[in-house]
Amino acid sequence: MRNGGLHAACLAALLVHSALACSDDDRDKRSARDAGVRDAALPDAHAPDAHPAPRDASASTNDARDAELDTGDHADAARMLDAGPSGKVEPRFATRILSADYYAEGADVGDIDGDGRVDLVAGPHWYAAPSFELSGSIVADPKKLGMDEYGEFFLVFVDDINADSRPDVIAVGIAGGDNGQPNTYWYENPGRDKLAQPWPKHLFFSDLVSNESPAYLNLVGDARPELVFMNGGRLGYARPNANPLQPWEFTSISGDVSYAGPYVHGLGVGDIDGDGMLDLVERTGYWRQVPNLPWERHEFEFWIGSSADRAGNWGGAQMYVIDIDGDRDADVVTTLAAHQYGVAWFEQQANGAFVGHSILSTQASSDNTSQLHALVMADINRDGLPDFVTGKRYYAHPSTTPDPGTTDAARLFWFELQRDASGAKFVQHVIHEDSGVGLDFVVRDLTGDGKVDIFTCSKRGTFLHVQQ
């Protein structure tokens, strides 16, 4: 249960990339039809769960680096202020290193042990609240990986797949199936008394789950979330069978349109046209949800500037559909090139076209960060406006085919949305200089103090950034 990739706090405003799995109530929040995606105010991202974990400020002692408590004192990180009438604060974060080793690049959360607290899932490992010490593995002897390797937990989603009231773990492998085809399985939570043993493994989808930012949420307004992805060059979604042990079935919404190869970047879900139906957005436009198949395609390249130097695998990560400038229509926020540089928001015009606005340049520089391969929306400073968290996916490509800036600092940062008479703008704040992100991560209150925290795992390790 997660963010957004897609975080629960952002669902009513957007519903992209993710799924919360702790309760039926959480799952209901994924339905944009119930939540009123188009014009809803950003919901309270900071209300604690029904059974919040008590605050735990102690550092883990799993290894030498675990003892570090990094308060991230950067030039732009102001000290915490008393909340004013709007509740706005200027956040700072303390970083706990839960593991210094690389096992996976997918992270999510859920009540794994059934004690009413939200636990952390980092690929094959899980960390129980409130201490968030390493508590178990869902596979036997998880493999420690090297910088040039990709794991089987490329992305992770937590949900109760078999309706036994225990959250299971969906593991999506690399989009091209390099480490095995099919590439997506789910691991069945065996129950609190059996968590020390490997979890039963089941096939989730019988072919490749492609596109590198699949979304897990209720797309079509039924009783269950769907997995949104590409398969065989087609864009669509998979739904469960009546028998939860049978692989999910794929529905294409893109008709004869074909996407080249499995390694497509950029995918999101949101109500672009304000008709109350969730649409799909990808790097070359959006697909308007209509009653029949295929859905209605609207072409637009979500890119800024010249395409002359643009990589063939351009496109970002999770794409968000939300009103940025306060004019009550849906705009789009996305990273621009998961293996190069750039972040932008695209302002929807009255005629349905978009105008791009740069947030972070597409050009390399000493103060820019490349490989922004995951993006999550949340109200970080409690001012009622959506902010965005992203960071470097360290060694997103191996050393044999490196990206620009591959070995630069694995920075994690957030963009604060500000509005004034001149319009909307974003201000960048650095959270941490040596953690970054994987392919999906979690931004929500994880300690029960009403403040949004950040949980990531990447090739730099596994990290919990606790807002102070």
Side-chain angles (χ1 to χ4, degrees):
M1 72 184 237
R2 99 170 48 232
N3 321 296
L6 316 141
H7 157 359
C10 302
L11 245 340
L14 160 68
L15 289 172
V16 161
H17 176 339
S18 72
L20 287 171
C22 258
S23 68
D24 292 337
D25 179 62
D26 281 330
R27 189 154 54 240
D28 291 344
K29 293 176 185 176
R30 298 187 189 104
S31 172
R33 289 174 180 78
D34 295 337
V37 168
R38 178 177 171 80
D39 294 325
L42 192 74
D44 181 6
H46 318 276
D49 291 89
H51 304 281
R55 183 77 176 276
D56 175 57
S58 62
S60 170
T61 56
N62 286 341
D63 55 45
R65 284 182 69 194
D66 283 6
E68 174 187 348
L69 185 65
D70 180 1
T71 56
D73 288 328
H74 302 288
D76 61 357
R79 69 183 67 161
M80 180 68 78
L81 302 179
D82 292 335
S86 67
K88 180 178 178 179
V89 296
E90 296 193 25
R92 60 184 179 89
F93 291 85
T95 296
R96 284 185 55 187
I97 302 171
L98 303 183
S99 172
D101 298 318
Y102 161 45
Y103 290 92
E105 296 182 271
D108 203 352
V109 299
D111 184 9
I112 299 301
D113 55 7
D115 67 352
R117 304 177 189 275
V118 177
D119 308 311
L120 312 180
V121 178
H125 292 130
W126 67 279
Y127 299 79
S131 67
F132 299 120
E133 300 285 349
L134 179 62
S135 302
S137 302
I138 67 175
V139 300
D141 301 319
K143 180 185 176 183
K144 186 187 301 185
L145 301 169
M147 292 297 103
D148 286 348
E149 293 183 278
Y150 296 120
E152 296 179 4
F153 293 80
F154 212 51
L155 298 101
V156 165
F157 303 101
V158 175
D159 196 9
D160 180 10
I161 301 298
N162 57 350
D164 64 356
S165 300
R166 296 193 291 259
D168 309 302
V169 174
I170 303 168
V172 181
I174 186 171
D178 301 37
N179 50 15
Q181 299 187 41
N183 66 340
T184 302
Y185 293 83
W186 68 278
Y187 293 85
E188 182 181 355
N189 187 326
R192 188 170 186 171
D193 296 337
K194 299 179 181 179
L195 288 173
Q197 66 188 36
W199 296 17
K201 180 181 180 180
H202 307 285
L203 184 62
F204 184 89
F205 182 63
S206 59
D207 199 4
L208 287 179
V209 170
S210 297
N211 188 293
E212 297 194 22
S213 301
Y216 186 76
L217 75 169
N218 192 337
L219 173 67
V220 296
D222 55 7
R224 293 289 304 273
E226 289 79 36
L227 184 65
V228 181
F229 59 99
M230 294 176 178
N231 172 256
R234 303 166 299 161
L235 174 61
Y237 60 90
R239 305 167 83 171
N241 278 287
N243 180 352
L245 298 182
Q246 293 298 312
W248 287 29
E249 296 181 355
F250 183 77
T251 298
S252 170
I253 62 94
S254 58
D256 295 333
V257 176
S258 180
Y259 296 87
Y263 301 105
V264 180
H265 293 87
L267 184 60
V269 183
D271 184 8
I272 293 282
D273 61 348
D275 65 355
M277 306 282 282
L278 291 182
D279 311 308
L280 298 187
V281 58
E282 40 89 7
R283 66 182 184 177
T284 64
Y286 74 93
W287 293 83
R288 178 175 174 264
Q289 185 171 165
V290 294
N292 300 312
L293 297 172
W295 291 8
E296 182 181 285
R297 190 185 191 194
H298 297 260
E299 295 185 59
F300 177 84
E301 286 196 347
F302 288 100
W303 178 260
I304 283 183
S306 170
S307 60
D309 299 326
R310 187 174 71 185
N313 64 346
W314 71 278
Q318 294 77 22
M319 302 177 71
Y320 288 84
V321 179
I322 192 168
D323 183 8
I324 293 298
D325 53 359
D327 63 356
R328 298 182 67 79
D329 62 12
D331 308 307
V332 174
V333 181
T334 181
T335 62
L336 296 174
H339 295 278
Q340 290 182 302
Y341 297 87
V343 184
W345 72 278
F346 293 84
E347 179 183 358
Q348 187 170 177
Q349 307 296 293
N351 63 359
F354 293 89
V355 174
H357 303 274
S358 178
I359 299 175
L360 202 61
S361 172
T362 58
Q363 301 302 308
S365 67
S366 60
D367 60 353
N368 204 352
T369 302
S370 66
Q371 301 176 305
L372 306 180
H373 214 302
L375 180 71
V376 173
M377 181 180 74
D379 181 7
I380 299 295
N381 58 353
R382 289 180 277 173
D383 64 353
L385 298 177
D387 307 306
F388 294 87
V389 184
T390 188
K392 182 181 188 65
R393 181 188 170 208
Y394 193 71
Y395 272 81
H397 276 158
S399 58
T400 52
T401 56
D403 297 328
T406 287
T407 59
D408 290 351
R411 188 172 292 131
L412 178 72
F413 46 91
W414 66 283
F415 292 105
E416 175 189 358
L417 172 59
Q418 297 179 352
R419 293 176 183 161
D420 56 27
S422 64
K425 65 177 181 179
F426 285 91
V427 178
Q428 183 179 358
H429 304 274
V430 175
I431 297 167
H432 197 254
E433 291 280 3
D434 191 22
S435 54
V437 300
L439 283 100
D440 61 355
F441 63 100
V442 177
V443 184
R444 58 168 290 173
D445 179 11
L446 295 169
T447 60
D449 64 356
K451 301 169 188 174
V452 164
D453 309 304
I454 302 168
F455 169 53
T456 69
C457 68
S458 69
K459 291 188 176 182
R460 301 301 294 158
T462 301
F463 302 85
L464 177 61
H465 308 275
V466 179
Q467 189 171 162
Q468 302 300 287

